[in-house]
Amino acid sequence: MEADWDELHRTTVPPPNIHEPPTPASAIAFDTQQELLWIGNEYGRVSSFCGAELAKYTSFRGHPVNEGPVKQLLFHEKGVISVAPCSVHLASRRGLTQWHIGDGTMKDLRCMSYLGKDNAMIIAAGCQDVMFKIDIEKGRVVEEIPTEHEYTMMKYSHYICAATSTGFVNILDPDTLRIVKTLNTNNVGICDMDARNNYLVTCGWATRPQGTPMLASLANVYDLRAMVQLPPIPFHAGAAHVQMHPRMSTTCIIASQSGQLQVVDIMNSNTVNLRQANISTYMSGLVLAPSGEALALSDADGFIHLWGSPTKLQFTEFSNATEFADSDMPVPVIDVDSDIPLSTSGMPYYREQLLSAWSSNQFYEVGNPPLKIDPAILSSLRPYELGSLAPNPRKVRRNQAEKTRLVEPNGDTLAAPKFLSEKAREAENDQNNERRISDAVEALANAAFNASTKADVPIMYRNVEIKYSKFGVDDFDFEYYNKTKFSGLETHIANSYANPLLQLFKFTPLIRNLALHHTASSCMVENCLLCEMGFLFDMLDKADGQSCQATNFLKTLSSIPEAGRLGLLEEQSHNTLLTDMMQSAGRFLLGQISMDFRRIAQNSVEFDQKIAIDTLASIRCVHCHNETIRGGGTYVNDLVYLPVGSNNRMRSHFPTFSQVLKASIERETQIRGWCDKCRRYQQLATRKTVRGVPQVLMLNAALKTPESQKFWAIPGWLPERIGVIVENGKIFCFEGEDLRLHLQRGMHVITVYGLVGIVADINGGEHQKSHLVSLINVAISDRTPAQEPNWHLFNDFLVRKISREDALRFSPSWKVPAVISYQVVSERHGVDDSWKQNLDTTLLYYEWSINNMSSKKSRALSPEEAPGAGSHVAIDTEFVALQQEEIEIKADGDREIVRPTRLGLARVSVLRGSGVDEGIPFINDYITISEPIVDYLTKWSGVQEGDLNPHISQHNLVPLKVAYKKLWLLLNLGCIFIGHGLPKDFRTINIHVPKSQVLDTVDLFYIRARQRKLSLRFLAWYLLKEDIQQDNHDSIEDARTALRLWRKYEEFRDAGLVETMVEEVYREGKKWGYKPPGEGGAAMLTAPAMNRRQQEARSTDGGSLGLVLVGVNENGTSTGGRETPEILQERISGAGTPVGKRGMGRVSDFIEGSPLR
């Protein structure tokens, strides 16, 4: 403190409101980056003052009033961090909130500190048993750390010095937060301390002989290197505050509550410089500026005193410029005259992007404008105690409110299709009435392709949404959006943002081949993404244009902990851009499926040869120049955009894509890491040497700046072919004419890549969310050679053919790339289906169980029963509800399904369909489910609570993958599946079975004109004389019933009686209400031939008369067994045959008017 130091300025802490006096400062600190002094008060408000005049800069509410005072302030490049007893707050220096954390376990926070020099993490603690580690970038608590100590102050200097409420100081390791040393200050409490340059100085309270506390007359000093106490500094006025000098390592300033200041050298306490502050009450705070050229004091009257030298006053040594609000420009006066042209007014010049061009994900609607009061109410208002009253005109319904925010139309949008159930009810005479993607819509979309603004985003690129009827998602007309042979993926599943990337992988032949060959192997790892990818690719191939869903793949992705930690799950990444999530997902998926591949082929390098760039990384320490060489592969490369020439209006000054690719692969990076030679963290420079290139080249566009987006705005900047030469550890890339010349010369070994496709981010406009699509040249994966490109747009379940120009045209305002895929042209059309001949079918021939239970109702197949093409199997499945449907009640009372019920596979049974063991199950698996089950649907599934619990279940339990793979093997072996209502079962299982491999008894006994399908229970009762599903559903019983119904249908077909018999079934079903007698809601029989005694007997029984068409013998008992059409015809023709135990009349009475009679 030099001789000319004195009080230069004084100001007050802003009061809570204009009618209140100034409040004392509860926290005071100098900004470490700008010329600002920050104050926190007891009402949670944070204020700042600028420069030597302490001009008011910002003031904002950082914490609620009821939480108490601001305890401490820290400074970061993003803003100022404040802590109060119940919350931690980060705001920019202009006062805008960046994040606010108010955890319920935060009860009495007192202090905080950085956890290292990188200022990426802070630790917040207080007089409570939990400390909080907070990530500043993400603004969330990453770890809660239990503690036995109550901390009141923290200072950081190599270690974290944490003062406890009992007068001790714990020295904490900033990496582990473990206590390295505990220092005893011999005080009952610590009122202030400071740590800098390996020294710690503390002030505290001592105990008087009478037992009351008083300020100690000694300031304790500690050496943090040796962890020992140094001689204390005497201060007879009572040390209340202390600050270490930032530039003079052994100098500190000690102050008393009365304002006495003492500048002292801690190594020589006899050298003292005394000053006295002009304070009328007592000093409440002391802080020294980072430059050492300014000192700020706060007192109990709410004043802030700024001390320093008038000629050298500055807060920080190298301060950043403080941003101030723009001053109002004087408005020029312009005469409005018919002789003055409007062009003289001019437009303002601007260099930054206008607000009107901001992306839709950069702003949000907050609240609604106030309602306009009805004039009828205003005209009849009369004064009342608290306002005015008026009669209610009752122009709207109760609880109905007007939506006051005006929603602008989205422009031309793709009309939603009618539900399939609606179309089935409509007359089909005029096919022109059916809404579909018409020529007019096509023309409208093509007209919008040349637009460059968000308002003109082509229709086919915009968000598509699934609508739900009471029949769920099965009633949605996906075919309306896709008239191609390529299947789309549905969006009503969590994490379906990955759909475009999965489509891109599927149409990259080498990735597709790897996935399917691995899936056909013996891999039984439950969370194998490569297997799930193979299942998905096979389903997309077999669907032939029908919509599919990646349910099982996305469920497996969600179950991998690493995916959650990387922020790849939508439910955990609400504020992450979809482009960043997609690029991270691509890198993660390729790394994960590489590990999955090596689980089966442990020593194989096939995957890395096809996908990874083989590199040697040279890691050199900048400090000691120690160099380490490491080998490895890179699956995905982020593009690094070279600087643009000075005249950036000329295209020639933009580097080509090949130049950017070369710089991206060979780029040198510097990161902070551990140096083995220095034995500490140092700056490490990494340089890559390329040894080989893969057959598939995956790239991330990595568009982080507006300058990088300008590259993609250049027409034709992305080439369809690139050539790569690797020589002597260096890589050379060529395109266009340069590539053609190198190929002609043939002097180098050049690898030529063809563009497979791009995943692009679409900003659909002001009222549409950003979403992702894929643009793919499907000709590359076509089995038949085709030289012409065939580009398609995959917008989830909307698939549409587009031109090459449309696919490769990008616009920074609405369409930017995210992921790019290239594949060597030599593997064009390299679709390998040999996996179908190499299926590992071992799983079908033994029982798999995770709870060591064997199914008593099934017997595994023997090798002699090996299924093949045309083998018949009967199947039935049961499901449980994992999520109830979500509905929305509109103002008019209509119900709209927002999200349908989500089901999970709980049981699957597959029976032999032929042979001596026909009808005997060989699969009867219960499936374990890790998700919470909201409803077991026992009435319809037969599954009860506990059946799916591995610890208590008495059934054979298997993972979903095991059950799925068994069905997948049967599908690819060519088996024909027999069942009742199979499409819905297959959809929920997430498998696609071609129609040629399905025999559905629903369709066998169905008349389209009747628009009603018959239940399995009714068909069994009427045709098989069996009562099924009496108590609960049983999948074995249902599958066996479907098998017998198919056999019955075969007999009718051989006899030529199918149409006649089906008509008869519908006629009788109508009489019975399409339900067996005794089932709730079944109709009572009122045939004219029923005599009065039968009606009285039915009334006496109190229920519907159970009458069925059964075979009987002369004794009136059931014949049982399967009836042939001949026996049925003979029995129907006979007169007076009793019906048996269930009936009392003749058979002819119950088939009145039957054509079979």
Side-chain angles (χ1 to χ4, degrees), residues 256 625 638 676 788 836 876 1016 1108 1130 1138:
S256 68
H625 304 290
D638 291 349
D676 293 331
E788 293 297 324
K836 295 182 180 179
D876 190 65
L1016 180 67
V1108 294
E1130 180 180 355

Side-chain angles (χ1 to χ4, degrees), residues 846-1141:
Y846 69 95
E847 294 282 351
W848 177 287
S849 177
I850 63 173
N851 60 340
N852 297 320
M853 300 292 294
S854 60
S855 177
K856 301 177 182 178
K857 299 181 179 181
S858 65
R859 186 176 73 246
L861 292 174
S862 62
E864 294 75 18
E865 299 177 291
S871 300
H872 291 88
V873 294
I875 182 173
D876 190 65
T877 56
E878 308 294 351
F879 304 96
V880 293
L882 304 179
Q883 183 179 5
Q884 297 288 15
E885 71 174 13
E886 299 176 14
I887 63 171
E888 184 180 81
I889 307 297
K890 295 184 177 180
D892 57 2
D894 290 344
R895 293 161 49 99
E896 180 179 358
I897 299 178
V898 178
R899 187 183 296 272
T901 302
R902 184 162 62 89
L903 302 177
L905 181 64
R907 183 185 179 187
V908 57
S909 300
V910 184
L911 284 61
R912 297 165 173 84
S914 59
V916 294
D917 291 334
E918 177 180 334
I920 296 180
F922 63 92
I923 297 176
N924 183 35
D925 293 335
Y926 285 74
I927 289 84
T928 57
I929 297 177
S930 58
E931 300 178 71
I933 299 174
V934 299
D935 192 347
Y936 283 87
L937 306 174
T938 304
K939 181 178 179 181
W940 296 276
S941 68
V943 179
Q944 299 182 1
E945 187 173 359
D947 286 350
L948 308 182
N949 188 338
H951 302 291
I952 61 175
S953 177
Q954 299 299 313
H955 304 288
N956 179 47
L957 283 175
V958 301
L960 175 63
K961 179 181 176 179
V962 173
Y964 187 96
K965 190 164 186 177
K966 290 180 181 180
L967 300 180
W968 185 78
L969 289 171
L970 293 174
L971 168 65
N972 285 284
L973 288 171
C975 293
I976 298 176
F977 294 88
I978 303 168
H980 191 84
L982 290 181
K984 182 165 183 161
D985 288 359
F986 289 148
R987 177 181 178 82
T988 309
I989 296 172
N990 198 25
I991 192 171
H992 184 88
V993 182
K995 292 183 179 179
S996 59
Q997 290 181 246
V998 177
L999 287 172
D1000 197 331
T1001 52
V1002 166
D1003 298 325
L1004 296 181
F1005 299 95
Y1006 176 58
I1007 300 176
R1008 183 175 297 275
R1010 299 293 183 95
Q1011 298 182 12
R1012 185 188 186 98
K1013 295 184 177 181
L1014 303 177
S1015 68
L1016 180 67
R1017 185 175 182 185
F1018 178 77
L1019 290 173
W1021 172 80
Y1022 190 78
L1023 294 176
L1024 304 179
K1025 287 70 68 184
E1026 291 184 0
D1027 287 330
I1028 65 171
Q1029 303 170 355
Q1030 289 298 305
D1031 297 324
N1032 288 323
H1033 284 235
D1034 183 86
S1035 55
I1036 294 179
E1037 180 186 46
D1038 291 353
R1040 185 178 291 121
T1041 303
L1043 178 62
R1044 294 188 60 192
L1045 285 173
W1046 171 64
R1047 290 297 185 187
K1048 180 69 70 175
Y1049 176 85
E1050 293 284 297
E1051 295 173 6
F1052 291 145
R1053 186 189 62 185
D1054 294 341
L1057 296 175
V1058 171
E1059 293 184 3
T1060 306
M1061 192 60 201
V1062 174
E1063 288 283 355
E1064 176 66 22
V1065 171
Y1066 268 93
R1067 185 180 298 109
E1068 292 299 315
K1070 187 175 182 180
K1071 295 180 180 179
W1072 291 97
Y1074 299 98
K1075 295 181 180 180
E1079 184 177 347
M1084 291 187 179
L1085 197 61
T1086 57
M1090 183 178 295
N1091 56 40
R1092 188 184 304 271
R1093 180 178 300 177
Q1094 292 171 342
Q1095 296 181 8
E1096 292 175 354
R1098 183 178 59 192
S1099 301
T1100 304
D1101 293 338
S1104 60
L1105 183 62
L1107 301 176
V1108 294
L1109 189 63
V1110 297
V1112 293
N1113 57 23
E1114 295 179 355
N1115 298 325
T1117 58
S1118 174
T1119 58
R1122 184 182 298 147
E1123 284 189 304
T1124 64
E1126 292 78 7
I1127 297 176
L1128 179 65
Q1129 180 76 33
E1130 180 180 355
R1131 181 171 53 78
I1132 292 176
S1133 301
T1137 306
V1139 178
K1141 295 181 180 180

Side-chain angles (χ1 to χ4, degrees), residues 324-336:
F324 291 94
D326 296 334
S327 58
D328 294 335
M329 297 294 293
V331 179
V333 178
I334 301 177
D335 293 332
V336 179

